[in-house]
Amino acid sequence: MMMKRLKAALGAVTVGLLAGTSLAHAQGTEEDLIKRGEYIARLGDCVACHTALNGQKFAGGLSIKTPIGTIYSTNITPDPTYGIGTYTLQEFDDAVRRGVRKDGSSLYPAMPYPAFSRMTPEDTKALYAYFMHGVKPVAEKNRAEDITWPLSMRWPLSIWRSLFAPAPKAFTPAPGTDAEIARGEYLVTGLGHCGACHTPRGFAMQEKAMDAAGGPDFLGGGGVIDNWVAPSLRNDPVAGIGRWSEDDLFYFLKSGRTDHSAVFGAMADVVGWSTQYFTDDDLRAISKYLKALPPVPPSRGDYTYDASTAQALDAGNFSGNPGAKVYVEQCAMCHRNDGGGVGRMFPPLAGNSVVVTDNATSVAHIVVEGGILPPTNWAQSAVAMPGYKTALSDQQIADVVNFIRTSWGNKAPANVTAADIQKLRLDHNPIPVAGWNNPTAQTATWGLFGPQPYGAGWTFAPQTHTGVDSEQ
């Protein structure tokens, strides 16, 4: 009898230990899943768009201007009333990868669900676990979009989705693809949704290509976004990253600065709120993938530095060029007479792909408004450039922009006028470039819609946190 009781007691202890071990394992697995989801949220940069300026994390409210009006990002905290707290995993997947809300209506494609359609089920499940169990609920009511009827109707978006949004399908690399390149492709074309800004958009605001199979349009340079131009990420030696190494790309995404470039505008949010938190392996994979993309025809041949500009400036010879005089007096202290800048602080202007884009808006905008190179965990100093909209006249700004775009071997059009700068300064209109994707006020969208306050063009322009909020 005693032996039976002893065996029963031992059995109970064993079962209890096994149950406790199983519970601890389950808890550990759930915590690991939430942690994984938190990293995936960084990969997708969810926080930058779903957090208002000076707002609470993931509570929505960020203004996103579009060619048909202004929309506001939504509350994606697990609050059951205003957030996504009542979403099932399937409903969450439908929103993220299909662009369909819980009520069955379609999301605006400012939400990059065409890119997220490539997410794997494992990543979607981890992301769901994070938002449901790793994010603090915030009872913040969503703001209604500011779009005039009938353009505010959502049912046409279902037609847009059927025409332009890929059906959800987990990313699978082409057979024989290097594993590191495959990982980079998944991050660039999927979670990172780089094409949302860096790929031109078509007549219906759709990205013209979702991956390299779409040809040179893929990552070939986007439109004007909040008066910044997203440049080409293809290996064009002048207009793209053809002269960048994999290390250059790695350190740019990690710290926001290299010896020949510095982050600014909306990309500053991408680095500050997202890519600086990527693992080194993922940054290497992205860099390797971008450099492995098929070659594209060079838009302007190759770049060759021209020392004659520096020689003329050193000699004080402005040759009747008013822009050269403004440059020496206002810009050369940081960017130097040779246009070389100061490594990892003041970017070079000579051979800079942003300087020589067809659209001069980025250069003009930073001269007018100034800019901030944000601090990161890997480069903790913030560097600011002052705006010159009150220190220089519109004509002086136009002159110096044209000078920068045509000096040191830069071969961009010198066609910015004082009237262009006035419209940029007062009305926030971008520098006009004739054409469908970069229309002037006269040709914008074939007259179907008027030019938007932030500038005509088929793109989405979220507010930028840099200079307002610290990364969250």
Side-chain angles (χ1 to χ4, degrees), residues 310-398:
Q311 294 166 358
L313 297 182
D314 288 344
N317 178 12
F318 306 137
S319 302
N321 188 333
K325 186 173 186 296
V326 174
Y327 181 84
V328 168
E329 292 174 348
Q330 304 293 340
C331 314
M333 179 178 294
C334 295
H335 296 283
R336 302 186 345 204
N337 283 357
D338 64 2
V342 176
R344 308 198 178 206
M345 287 195 68
F346 309 119
L349 304 177
N352 190 316
S353 60
V354 173
V355 169
V356 298
T357 54
D358 288 336
N359 192 314
T361 298
S362 285
V363 182
H365 186 205
I366 202 165
V367 174
V368 170
E369 299 290 347
I372 295 175
L373 176 59
T376 65
N377 293 329
W378 315 103
Q380 296 180 2
S381 59
V383 181
M385 172 179 163
Y388 288 89
K389 61 185 177 183
T390 58
L392 298 176
S393 69
D394 293 335
Q395 185 62 58
Q396 287 176 312
I397 293 175

Side-chain angles (χ1 to χ4, degrees), residues 52-131:
L53 299 185
N54 300 309
Q56 296 191 67
K57 192 173 181 179
F58 296 123
L62 191 77
S63 167
I64 303 172
K65 295 176 182 175
T66 82
I68 61 173
T70 300
I71 61 179
Y72 299 90
S73 63
T74 55
N75 184 335
I76 57 171
T77 74
D79 181 76
T81 303
Y82 301 115
I84 60 173
T86 62
Y87 274 54
T88 65
L89 174 59
Q90 183 59 57
E91 289 166 341
F92 181 81
D93 182 85
D94 286 343
V96 171
R97 299 204 302 149
R98 292 181 57 227
V100 177
R101 301 192 305 189
K102 184 181 177 71
D103 63 4
S105 60
S106 296
L107 295 170
Y108 288 100
M111 165 68 175
Y113 54 82
F116 291 166
S117 68
R118 298 177 174 226
M119 286 178 63
T120 64
E122 296 80 10
D123 282 353
T124 306
K125 182 179 179 181
L127 190 64
Y128 177 76
Y130 171 62
F131 277 110

